[in-house]
């Protein structure tokens, strides 16, 4: 038996109380703890859960590995991350998703939950082995061709029908391919002035509108990845009012950054979907605050310098964000009545619920002791060069923030202590997650 007592933590930013951990689970109390931690002044949140992470392994270990991505997640306060399927080979079979889950257990810094591809090879031609991945040891419940849109409406309908049989969810990358051919940035005033091919908002909104109607018709679950426009917020709001089983996510960068930054031609700001206008940023902030947008997903997308540090039109799309997500969200939402309980809801409890992770998203006794302690009054500057991820393509470099991740506990193991990696969970030495 192992036990930890965390003293004087402000749970969800409220009253101070003690938190007891016994054998990897939250407990009512502990009399003689093996370790006592003074959390005076710190906020306790359930460990963060990311539904949208690119870990690159297998196939692109030069950009990221499951180990380095898991370490980055832990330093960002995440205890569970969902690995997107656009690896090499694509995670479209039971064998590949089981390999990803195994690599996560071997790393031992966060629970790595594989996302399966919707179509074979993400080619958009035929459904992948959805049932086999769901029945595998990885128990896949979320399927996405992220990076590619499931553009064929009949194929999307069939995917929604299939996952309904085991209460799965299709997470759509909403991007009409015909409307975005050659697109380099948001279509608008800035793209016109810079002479760069534009990426219209309607390319996202038209796919979301189609898919919520399909989800309503089929009665299945749809998740909208990285929503970025004001129109998309309104479509999701309308769909929810109709009772459609749709959830939506927004990224930290779409909550903070605008297409005005593209004037610098710095490829760190090149991302899919593109940075939008200030009006769009304001709309997605309001949508997150009022619950129209359910969660924050990082869309952590590391790239090598070879693929990112080049002229704008040749640079890869994507940004890293696991280690800066919580501080950036709290900064972006500071004027919207968005507190620590809201952060816990949108970055832990709700994503865990969407994915079906019963051991994450709660601080209640009896559940898995997945926990992050946060200093809410820090004076920090985001320094990507010091991050655990292999990716350095973080658009928030040099931004001052007032939130610092202090400690992260994964099933009771203190994997991060005072902001530094401490050591992996016992699963890395052949142990098991608490189930």
């Amino acid at each position: 038996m192992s036990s930890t007592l965390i003293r004087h933590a402000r749970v969800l930013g409220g009253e101070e109380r003690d938190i007891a951990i016994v054998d990897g689970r939250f407990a009512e109390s502990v009399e003689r703890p093996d370790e006592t931690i003074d959390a005076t002044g710190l906020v306790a949140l359930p460990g963060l859960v990311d539904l949208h992470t690119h870990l690159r392994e297998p196939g692109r270990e030069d950009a990221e590995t499951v180990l380095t991505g898991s370490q980055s997640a832990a330093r960002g306060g995440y205890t569970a991350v969902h690995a997107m399927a656009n690896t090499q080979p694509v995670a479209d079979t039971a064998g590949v998703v089981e390999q990803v889950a195994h690599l996560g257990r071997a790393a031992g810094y966060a629970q790595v939950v594989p996302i399966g591809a919707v179509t074979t090879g993400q080619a958009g031609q035929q459904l992948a082995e959805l049932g086999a991945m769901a029945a595998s040891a990885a128990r896949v419940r979320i399927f996405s061709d992220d990076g590619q849109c499931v553009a064929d409406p009949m194929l999307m309908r069939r995917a929604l029908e299939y996952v309904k049989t085991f209460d799965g969810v299709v997470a759509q990358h909403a991007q009409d391919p015909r409307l975005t051919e050659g697109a380099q940035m948001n279509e608008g005033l800035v793209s016109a002035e810079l002479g760069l091919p534009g990426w219209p908002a309607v390319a996202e909104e038209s796919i979301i509108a189609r898919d919520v109607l399909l989800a309503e018709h089929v009665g299945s679950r749809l998740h909208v990845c990285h929503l970025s426009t004001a129109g998309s917020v309104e479509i999701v709001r309308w769909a929810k009012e109709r009772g459609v089983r749709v959830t939506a996510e927004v990224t930290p960068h779409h909550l903070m950054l605008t297409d005005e930054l593209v004037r610098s031609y710095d490829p760190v700001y090149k991302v899919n979907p593109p940075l939008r206008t200030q009006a769009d940023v304001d709309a997605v902030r309001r949508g997150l605050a009022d619950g129209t947008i359910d969660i924050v997903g990082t869309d952590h997308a590391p790239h090598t310098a070879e693929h990112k540090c080049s002229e704008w039109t040749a640079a890869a799309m994507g940004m890293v964000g696991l280690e800066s997500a919580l501080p950036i969200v709290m900064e972006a939402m500071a004027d919207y009545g968005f507190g620590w309980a809201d952060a816990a809801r949108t970055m832990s409890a709700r994503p865990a619920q969407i994915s079906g992770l019963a051991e994450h998203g709660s601080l209640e006794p009896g559940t898995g002791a997945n926990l992050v302690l946060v200093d809410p009054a820090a004076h920090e500057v985001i320094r990507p060069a010091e991050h655990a991820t292999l990716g350095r393509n973080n658009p928030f470099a040099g931004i001052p923030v007032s939130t610092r991740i202090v400690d992260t506990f994964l099933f009771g193991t203190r994997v991060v202590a005072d902001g530094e990696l401490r050591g992996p969970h016992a699963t890395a030495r052949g142990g098991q997650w608490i189930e």
Side-chain angles (χ1 to χ4, degrees):
M1 179 181 291
S2 61
S3 59
T4 302
L5 181 63
I6 300 170
R7 302 292 309 277
H8 309 304
R10 292 175 52 209
V11 175
L12 304 186
E15 296 285 329
E16 285 190 1
R17 69 174 174 87
D18 296 346
I19 300 173
I21 299 172
V22 177
D23 280 351
R25 292 189 180 279
F26 292 119
E28 294 285 357
S29 62
V30 57
E31 292 185 4
R32 295 182 178 85
D34 299 313
E35 183 177 22
T36 300
I37 297 169
D38 183 3
T40 301
L42 302 183
V43 171
L45 304 175
L48 306 184
V49 177
D50 189 18
L51 252 55
H52 197 142
T53 308
H54 297 273
L55 296 180
R56 303 305 189 201
E57 190 175 9
R60 287 308 310 270
E61 291 83 357
D62 55 337
E64 191 78 289
T65 68
V66 172
L67 174 60
T68 58
S70 297
Q71 291 174 329
S72 181
R75 288 193 57 180
Y78 286 90
T79 54
V81 294
H82 291 68
M84 278 295 178
N86 59 339
T87 50
Q88 299 174 1
V90 170
D92 56 4
T93 66
V96 178
V97 295
E98 287 179 350
Q99 178 191 5
V100 172
H102 170 75
L103 289 169
R105 289 191 296 271
Y109 283 94
Q111 184 168 359
V112 175
V113 183
I115 290 176
V118 176
T119 67
T120 301
Q122 293 188 300
Q125 299 299 312
Q126 62 183 17
L127 291 183
E129 299 177 6
L130 309 184
M133 288 186 280
S136 72
R139 294 184 293 184
V140 176
R141 287 297 178 270
I142 301 177
F143 298 86
S144 181
D145 274 3
D146 186 63
Q148 304 292 329
C149 178
V150 182
D152 185 326
M154 181 58 74
L155 201 60
M156 185 63 178
R157 173 182 175 169
R158 294 297 180 232
L160 288 166
E161 289 173 331
Y162 201 116
V163 302
K164 183 183 177 182
T165 63
F166 48 80
D167 197 32
V169 59
V170 177
Q172 175 70 294
H173 174 111
Q175 175 193 350
D176 188 299
R178 290 284 287 146
L179 290 174
T180 55
E181 290 180 0
Q184 292 290 314
M185 66 168 298
N186 179 60
E187 181 180 282
L189 178 62
V190 178
S191 67
E193 292 181 359
L194 298 181
L196 289 173
W199 188 312
V202 70
E204 173 176 304
E205 296 159 5
S206 61
I207 295 295
I208 296 175
R210 181 202 74 178
D211 286 352
V212 296
L213 292 174
L214 285 173
E216 181 179 43
H217 179 69
V218 173
S220 189
R221 296 171 62 201
L222 170 71
H223 181 71
V224 179
C225 295
H226 44 48
L227 179 154
S228 67
T229 77
S232 295
V233 176
E234 291 307 311
I235 294 167
V236 170
R237 183 176 285 119
W238 171 84
K240 288 189 171 187
E241 289 171 352
R242 289 174 63 88
V244 179
R245 300 176 70 192
V246 59
T247 55
E249 76 186 25
V250 65
T251 70
H253 45 275
H254 287 114
L255 286 169
M256 179 68 85
L257 310 176
T258 75
D259 61 352
E260 288 290 334
L261 292 164
V262 181
R263 295 183 186 278
S264 69
Y265 289 103
D266 186 338
V268 75
Y269 300 119
K270 188 176 182 182
V271 67
N272 180 350
L275 300 180
R276 303 292 189 177
T277 67
Q278 186 62 54
D280 292 309
V281 169
D282 293 340
V284 296
R285 288 176 176 177
R286 290 192 299 270
L288 185 65
D290 68 22
T292 301
I293 299 174
D294 299 79
I295 68 168
V296 175
T298 69
D299 197 4
H300 175 84
H303 292 290
T304 63
E306 174 188 5
H307 290 94
K308 192 64 174 174
C309 299
S310 61
E311 66 273 17
W312 180 273
T313 55
M317 295 181 179
M319 302 170 171
V320 296
L322 283 169
E323 290 169 72
S324 53
L326 182 59
I328 289 298
V329 169
M330 298 311 292
E331 294 293 328
M333 298 299 293
D335 295 332
Y336 290 80
F338 191 90
W340 294 109
D342 298 298
R345 171 177 52 83
T346 59
M347 301 182 74
S348 182
R350 190 70 176 114
Q353 182 184 37
I354 292 169
S355 181
L357 294 182
E359 300 292 355
H360 293 265
S362 173
L363 299 176
E364 290 299 313
T367 60
N370 297 300
L371 168 75
V372 58
L373 296 177
V374 178
D375 182 352
H379 298 283
E380 296 285 302
V381 173
I382 295 176
R383 297 182 174 88
E386 299 175 3
H387 290 176
T389 175
L390 297 181
R392 294 292 174 257
N393 49 309
N394 189 314
F396 302 113
I399 290 181
V401 292
S402 58
T403 300
R404 174 176 175 261
I405 307 301
V406 179
D407 293 342
T408 304
F409 292 81
L410 175 65
F411 290 101
T413 296
R414 195 181 184 190
V415 294
V416 170
D418 196 23
E420 300 297 329
L421 295 169
R422 189 187 201 196
H425 186 276
T427 187
R429 299 184 293 277
Q432 297 293 320
W433 302 121
I434 295 173
E435 300 274 348

